[in-house]
Amino acid sequence: MARRKPATTHGLAIVDKPTGVTSHDVVGMLRRRFGERQVGHAGTLDPDATGVLVVAVGMATRLLRFVEKTQKEYVGEVVLGVETNTLDAAGEVTATHDMSSVTVDRARAVAAEHLTGPIRQIPPMVSAIRVDGKRLHELARAGIEIEREPRDVVVDRFDIWPTDDPLVLRIEVECSAGTYIRSLAADLGTLLGGGAHLRGLRRTRVGSFTIAEAARPDDCELLPVAAAVRSLPPVTVDAPTAALIANGRVLPAWDGAGPWAVFDDSERLLAVYERFGEPTRSSGTAAPSADHRDATAKPVVVLPTAAS
């Protein structure tokens, strides 16, 4: 079997995903545009949703983990009184309720008391989570519903404003990775004594990447690989240390908790290091002491640039 040609184009694209396409569709668009197979994204957006989708090309795909786990920000609308089987406007209506008496102040109070801070969410069946190798939305399309384990998430901010329609609320949410905004919308409706669904979802921020930086797939700029770790504290090393990094050596830890983005003196990203943490014991080898582990850092990702 022929070996895949190594990637020659590397970088990070901040895409403003249009409605009507999947996140995987956007990956395909950028594969064709840049002529590279090694392309991936940091966090799925539903087909009907728009907004910030961070896409990595080439060696930048190895750094997506440092983007995926960052805080997200969304805006959208909650339609009170109508439930759907997908919890959003794309689904079929399953129930209706008279919620004409609900006020914005009541919705804000419920969101603050029950849907803000650390909460537990059950992933919707239309999500992209894999269970036994199958994505939940694939099972849902086949008419199969399975039990899902609740997940711990954090909603840092859940702001609600009125619109011209008293049964439609505008929301803005800041939350941890893995939070389902459609579930927040549906839960808000239930807690208000009826039901609701989400529409017009737009992601406005992923970590430090904002909608102001995003552009359509055909127009987005390819940022340097180092943009993927711009939220990490940077450290610069000399040539002898860079040679050690190329061989994946454990090094003395730098100041702070880490992880650290490690650059050489020509501002080239070499690797990402984190504190050593728990040791891996091997037969006949004593584990480092806790103090020693706290004082050292290990490579999480070493890029090909380190070897060159």
Side-chain angles (χ1 to χ4, degrees):
M1 182 181 296
R3 297 182 63 182
R4 180 175 294 176
K5 183 178 68 174
T8 57
T9 301
H10 311 277
L12 201 72
I14 314 305
V15 177
D16 184 354
K17 189 189 88 64
T19 188
V21 298
T22 67
S23 299
H24 185 70
D25 290 338
V26 174
V27 167
M29 295 174 192
L30 295 192
R31 280 175 175 161
R32 292 187 292 272
R33 179 181 165 192
F34 295 116
E36 291 290 356
R37 290 292 305 166
Q38 192 177 357
V39 179
H41 65 77
T44 301
L45 273 175
D46 296 326
D48 287 346
T50 65
V52 177
L53 184 70
V54 179
V55 182
V57 180
M59 73 174 76
T61 57
R62 299 182 60 191
L63 301 169
L64 281 176
R65 71 183 78 177
F66 304 107
V67 180
E68 290 170 340
K69 301 303 181 183
T70 56
Q71 189 188 58
K72 312 294 193 297
E73 185 173 317
Y74 299 86
V75 296
E77 292 182 335
V78 176
V79 181
L80 299 175
V82 180
E83 296 183 66
T84 74
N85 61 349
T86 59
L87 313 186
D88 66 3
E92 299 177 359
V93 174
T94 57
T96 59
H97 309 267
D98 180 4
M99 300 183 68
S100 57
S101 63
V102 172
T103 65
V104 174
D105 286 343
R106 175 61 181 153
R108 287 170 174 164
V110 165
E113 182 177 357
H114 299 286
L115 300 174
T116 305
I119 64 172
R120 306 202 84 194
Q121 280 192 326
I122 296 177
M125 278 300 302
V126 289
S127 66
I129 292 174
R130 288 186 184 274
V131 176
D132 296 331
K134 285 282 190 180
R135 295 194 184 275
L136 288 180
H137 63 75
E138 295 173 344
L139 296 175
R141 283 200 299 270
I144 301 170
E145 182 166 355
I146 63 172
E147 292 291 324
R148 287 94 68 201
E149 290 294 325
R151 291 187 162 199
D152 294 321
V153 298
V154 178
V155 178
D156 297 286
R157 182 167 61 89
F158 192 162
D159 292 340
I160 299 176
W161 294 277
T163 68
D164 293 338
D165 185 338
L167 291 178
V168 178
L169 304 174
R170 181 174 178 270
I171 63 170
E172 184 171 318
V173 177
E174 286 186 9
C175 56
S176 64
T179 304
Y180 291 97
I181 309 303
R182 69 174 74 202
S183 295
L184 289 180
D187 290 345
L188 178 63
T190 300
L191 291 166
L192 288 169
H197 69 268
L198 178 71
R199 76 180 185 191
L201 182 66
R202 182 163 176 77
R203 187 156 65 192
T204 56
R205 182 171 64 84
V206 174
S208 66
F209 302 102
T210 69
I211 197 66
E213 301 172 79
R216 292 180 63 85
D218 291 341
D219 304 317
C220 58
E221 178 185 359
L222 193 63
L223 304 175
V225 171
V229 292
R230 72 184 190 187
S231 62
L232 302 183
V235 295
T236 301
V237 299
D238 57 21
T241 304
L244 296 176
I245 289 171
N247 290 313
R249 293 285 293 276
V250 172
L251 298 173
W254 297 273
D255 291 337
W260 301 271
V262 185
F263 296 82
D264 65 13
D265 52 16
S266 63
E267 300 183 351
R268 187 174 52 171
L269 179 65
L270 304 177
V272 176
Y273 269 65
E274 66 181 8
R275 285 202 181 271
F276 198 89
E278 291 301 317
T280 300
R281 293 177 180 266
S282 59
S283 178
T285 302
S289 68
D291 289 343
H292 176 73
R293 296 197 305 272
D294 288 344
T296 57
K298 63 180 179 181
V300 183
V301 174
V302 177
L303 297 175
T305 49
S308 61

